């Protein structure tokens, strides 16, 4: 029987590959590596990597809230129009070219406020107790793409579900009623993005995925009470403020840095899928803008990408109206 929690080595390999979207990425298997450890290792093994242009600024970055703990209850899957139509017609999420279905956290305003309160109570208890109405500050720092709910770099159609529901359906449909297993999958890096992936699979695949430690071993991501607990290290796309003595102060010039985020990876080997009624899919559906600065569709998507958002909104409105009729 494989070790449920293999020891994480102090030194680790940073490997490189071309992902399914044709984008170069670095990855570290079976670990969620901190920004500080990542910087030290990259300096040794891949000092010319494009991310090092930003990581080497670590000591130059003005003070900002870190780490900040978010308790996240919703997850989302974004698709192109082709994928959206396929999901509705088949009433299921079924990865067309792989065994894995990818989902991002969808962080709500109230979860940002709760994280802000927790951060103040942990780091500035006196100020937190003295302020009866704390002036919001964290929203000035939550500028990385994971917080930009109106945009996506994956398409114009977003399906959002409570994680508790998704785990329940995955358990019933793909785990024979047993609890799904969550593992620390990979740390993936791009130019400015550090992605911590969580593998979710059936207990029957414990032997296959036993090389990945259980999620409890992660310092940065946990799962509890149906929520992902994300201990975020870098939440700004660009630093426009600095955080001094419990207050946000405007910063000029702005400083560009890296950000981290979390993705959930559900194992769905053929013929497995996550199945839903059409009505439930439409209820979970919303249109979003394509983030043209981070457009991962590139030449594969439609030419008039700005017009696609309006078209998607119209389709979603029509579908939701049909539910009420």
């Amino acid at each position: 029987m494989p070790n449920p929690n293999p020891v994480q080595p102090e030194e680790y390999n940073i490997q490189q590959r071309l992902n399914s979207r044709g984008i170069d990425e670095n990855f570290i298997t079976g670990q969620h590596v901190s920004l500080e450890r990542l910087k030290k290792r990259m300096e040794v093994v891949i000092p010319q990597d494009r991310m090092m242009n930003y990581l080497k600024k670590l000591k130059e970055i003005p003070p900002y809230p870190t780490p900040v703990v978010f308790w996240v209850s919703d997850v989302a899957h974004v698709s192109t129009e082709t994928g959206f139509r396929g999901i509705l017609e088949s009433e299921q999420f079924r990865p067309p070219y792989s065994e894995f279905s990818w989902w991002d956290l969808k962080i709500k305003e109230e979860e940002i406020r709760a994280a802000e309160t927790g951060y103040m109570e942990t780091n500035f208890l006196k100020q937190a107790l003295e302020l009866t109405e704390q002036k919001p500050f964290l929203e000035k720092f939550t500028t990385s793409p994971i917080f930009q709910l109106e945009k996506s770099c994956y398409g114009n159609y977003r399906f959002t579900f409570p994680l508790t529901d998704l785990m329940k359906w995955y358990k019933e449909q793909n785990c024979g009623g047993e609890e799904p297993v969550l593992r620390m999958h990979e740390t993936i890096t791009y130019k400015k993005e550090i992605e911590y992936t969580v593998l979710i699979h059936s207990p029957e695949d414990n032997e296959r995925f036993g090389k990945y430690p259980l999620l409890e071993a992660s310092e940065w991501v946990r799962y509890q009470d149906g929520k992902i607990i994300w201990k975020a290290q870098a939440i700004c796309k660009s630093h426009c403020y600095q955080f001094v003595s419990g207050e946000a102060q405007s910063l000029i010039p702005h400083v560009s840095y890296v950000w981290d985020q979390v993705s959930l990876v559900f194992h769905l080997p053929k013929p497995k899928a996550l199945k839903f009624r059409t009505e439930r899919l439409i209820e979970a559906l919303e249109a979003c803008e394509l983030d043209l600065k981070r457009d991962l569709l590139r030449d594969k998507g439609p030419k008039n990408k700005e017009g696609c958002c309006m078209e998607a909104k119209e389709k979603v409105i029509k579908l939701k109206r049909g539910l009420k009729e």
Side-chain angles (χ1 to χ4, degrees):
M1 183 175 180
N3 184 348
N5 250 336
V7 176
Q8 299 177 61
E10 283 299 319
E11 291 195 359
Y12 49 86
N13 292 325
I14 299 179
Q15 303 177 71
Q16 297 176 320
R17 66 189 173 199
L18 196 67
N19 68 19
S20 60
R21 298 181 185 275
I23 297 172
D24 291 317
E25 61 185 25
N26 302 319
F27 68 101
I28 300 155
T29 298
Q31 292 198 55
H32 289 163
V33 181
S34 70
L35 265 67
E36 183 62 39
R37 286 184 65 210
L38 189 63
K39 173 180 176 291
K40 290 179 179 179
R41 187 62 175 162
M42 279 188 163
E43 284 175 335
V44 174
V45 297
I46 46 173
Q48 302 304 318
D49 188 82
R50 54 189 178 170
M51 177 169 274
M52 281 305 301
N53 293 329
Y54 300 97
L55 283 179
K56 66 185 180 183
K57 297 180 181 179
L58 183 58
K59 294 183 179 179
E60 304 171 17
I61 299 300
Y64 67 94
T66 183
V68 181
V69 180
F70 296 91
W71 289 64
V72 186
S73 58
D74 287 354
V75 293
H77 177 89
V78 179
S79 179
T80 62
E81 182 175 0
T82 301
F84 147 74
R85 283 192 276 106
I87 291 166
L88 282 189
E89 290 170 4
S90 65
E91 296 186 306
Q92 64 181 16
F93 291 91
R94 162 67 255 159
Y97 307 116
S98 75
E99 297 181 81
F100 303 100
S101 179
W102 289 69
W103 296 71
D104 289 330
L105 305 185
K106 186 177 180 184
I107 304 173
K108 296 177 283 194
E109 286 186 18
E110 56 265 34
E111 291 168 341
I112 294 176
R113 290 289 288 148
E116 178 180 284
T117 300
Y119 184 82
M120 287 296 290
E121 290 176 348
T122 301
N123 298 280
F124 300 92
L125 181 58
K126 185 177 179 181
Q127 290 97 316
L129 293 174
E130 289 176 351
L131 292 174
T132 54
E133 290 189 15
Q134 180 182 319
K135 187 176 181 180
F137 66 87
L138 198 58
E139 61 191 18
K140 292 180 169 63
F141 296 93
T142 51
T143 58
S144 69
I146 198 169
F147 297 100
Q148 309 307 306
L149 301 184
E150 74 282 0
K151 293 183 179 181
S152 173
C153 58
Y154 300 110
N156 294 115
Y157 299 88
R158 177 186 282 120
F159 295 90
T160 301
F161 296 97
L163 181 55
T164 50
D165 289 354
L166 209 60
M167 294 294 283
K168 176 177 178 288
W169 295 323
Y170 186 79
K171 172 183 174 179
E172 293 172 352
Q173 297 175 19
N174 298 286
C175 301
E178 296 186 58
E179 292 297 329
V181 181
L182 287 81
R183 295 187 182 272
M184 189 161 49
H185 186 223
E186 292 180 340
T187 299
I188 306 174
T189 72
Y190 302 94
K191 182 179 179 180
K192 295 183 64 178
E193 176 186 346
I194 299 165
E195 183 175 25
Y196 298 122
T197 60
V198 176
L199 173 63
I200 302 171
H201 68 82
S202 168
E204 68 181 15
D205 292 310
N206 272 329
E207 185 170 351
R208 175 181 175 183
F209 296 120
K211 67 178 180 180
Y212 300 105
L214 296 175
L215 188 60
E216 287 86 343
S218 175
E219 182 180 357
W220 308 106
V221 189
R222 295 293 178 93
Y223 175 68
Q224 182 180 324
D225 300 329
K227 297 182 179 182
I228 287 293
I229 307 169
W230 172 37
K231 190 177 178 182
Q233 301 161 82
I235 55 178
C236 309
K237 184 176 182 179
S238 292
H239 289 253
C240 304
Y241 294 85
Q242 60 181 348
F243 195 63
V244 180
S245 301
E247 294 184 359
Q249 300 176 356
S250 184
L251 183 67
I252 299 176
H254 300 167
V255 182
S256 189
Y257 191 46
V258 301
W259 66 83
D260 62 307
Q261 68 174 52
V262 175
S263 293
L264 307 186
V265 185
F266 286 85
H267 182 229
L268 291 171
K270 292 181 180 179
K272 291 185 176 181
L274 275 170
K275 301 176 182 179
F276 302 84
R277 292 179 295 104
T278 299
E279 294 80 5
R280 185 67 185 89
L281 288 169
I282 295 173
E283 289 171 358
L285 180 63
E286 63 183 335
C288 54
E289 296 178 31
L290 188 63
D291 187 347
L292 297 178
K293 292 182 179 180
R294 299 179 64 246
D295 178 13
L296 298 185
L297 302 179
R298 295 184 176 178
D299 297 332
K300 299 177 183 178
K303 293 182 179 180
N304 182 16
K305 294 179 180 179
E306 292 182 348
C308 285
C309 180
M310 184 59 66
E311 184 179 332
K313 288 180 180 178
E314 292 173 356
K315 288 183 179 180
V316 171
I317 290 171
K318 184 177 180 180
L319 285 168
K320 289 184 179 290
R321 187 182 296 133
L323 285 181
K324 299 177 182 179
E325 294 176 352

